[in-house]
Amino acid sequence: MTTTREKIVEAAATLLNEGGREAISTRAVSAAAGVQAPTIYRLFGDKQGLLDAVASHGFVSYLGGKMGLPETGDPVEDLRRGWDLHVAFGLEHPAVYTLIYGEPRPGVESPAARAAAEVLAGQVKRIAAAGRLRVSEERAAHLIHAAGCGMTLTLIALPPQARDPALSVLARESIIAAVTASRAGDGDGDASLAGAAGALRAALPGVTALTGAERALLDEWLTRLADSGHSADTRPGDHAPA
C-alpha cells in the first residue's frame, strides 16, 4: 500500500521530470498528491527536504545498478564501468541528476550524493588495496567525482546531436591514468611508493597490533606518502597561497 510520503515523492518526481526543478512548488505537489501543504512540511521539514527525498527516489535505480555490478579481478576496470554507468544515468535522467549535482550547497551533501560517494569510495579502496593507487584514496575519489560530474553536466547541457561520446572516454582514461598504475609497483619511485602506502593504508583498519592513536598517526603518515608524488607538500596545516 502506498504511503502518503510515497505519494508525495512520486507526485514531485513526476513534476520534476515534466517541468524541471522549477515545477516543484508546495502548491503544485500538494495538488498532484492530493494532500494539504502542511502535510508536506510535517513529513519533509521544508522544500529542500522534499527535494532531497525526490533525488533519492530517482537515484534508486542508479545506485542499484552500481552496487549490483559484479566485481571482477581488476578494480580499475570496475571503476571504468562505474564511471560509464554514472554518465549514462545522468544523460537518461537529466532532471534528477541536475537536482543532485547541479546546485551544490557548501558543506552540505544530499543523501543521494552521499550514497553514491560511498560506492565510489569502496571502488577506490579496492584499487588502493591492490597497490595500484598513485594518490590517497580521498584525493582519488574527489578527483574522479569532480571529473565525472563535470563531464556529465557538460554533456547534459549539449543538444543530444552535439554530444560526442568520445569526450567521456577521454576524460575517464585521463583520470584513471592520473590516479592509478597499470600494475602494482608500476611507475617512477614516487608512484610506486604511493601505491605501497595506499595498499598499507587500505589494510590499516584491520590491524589489531596498534592502538587507536598509533593507527591514527600511521594513517596520517601513509596519507602523506600516498600523495607524495603529486604534491610538493601536503602536510596538514599548510595552505597554498591565495
Side-chain angles (χ1 to χ4, degrees), residues 9-10 13 17 33 47 85 89-90 93 101 111 120 124 135 141 155 159 167 171 173 183 189 218 235-237 242:
V9 170
E10 289 172 4
N17 290 327
K47 183 177 177 180
L85 183 63
F89 174 84
H93 306 278
Y101 294 116
L120 175 58
V124 171
V135 296
L155 292 174
L167 288 177
E173 294 308 306
R183 292 186 302 274
L218 183 54
R235 288 174 295 180

Side-chain angles (χ1 to χ4, degrees), residues 3 19 30 40 61 71 101 105 124 133 146 167 179 210 219:
T3 66
S30 298
I40 294 178
S61 61
E71 293 181 355
Y101 294 116
R105 290 168 280 164
V124 171
L133 208 57
L167 288 177
V179 302
L210 301 176
D219 181 81

Side-chain angles (χ1 to χ4, degrees), residues 2 17 19 21 31 65 92 107 118 127 156 164 185 208 211-213:
T2 303
N17 290 327
R21 178 171 180 156
E92 290 170 12
E118 289 172 358
I127 298 173
I156 287 173
D164 179 0
T208 59
T211 67

Side-chain angles (χ1 to χ4, degrees), residues 33-70:
V35 301
Q36 298 297 316
T39 303
I40 294 178
Y41 292 110
R42 176 173 57 82
L43 292 174
F44 301 96
D46 56 18
K47 183 177 177 180
Q48 188 58 57
L50 174 60
L51 291 174
D52 286 343
V54 173
S56 295
H57 172 79
F59 227 37
V60 166
S61 61
Y62 163 72
L63 289 175
K66 196 161 187 176
M67 290 187 288
L69 284 175

Side-chain angles (χ1 to χ4, degrees), residues 157-180:
L158 292 173
Q161 66 273 16
R163 293 171 185 166
D164 179 0
L167 288 177
S168 179
V169 175
L170 288 169
R172 183 193 69 198
E173 294 308 306
S174 295
I175 293 300
I176 287 177
V179 302
T180 73

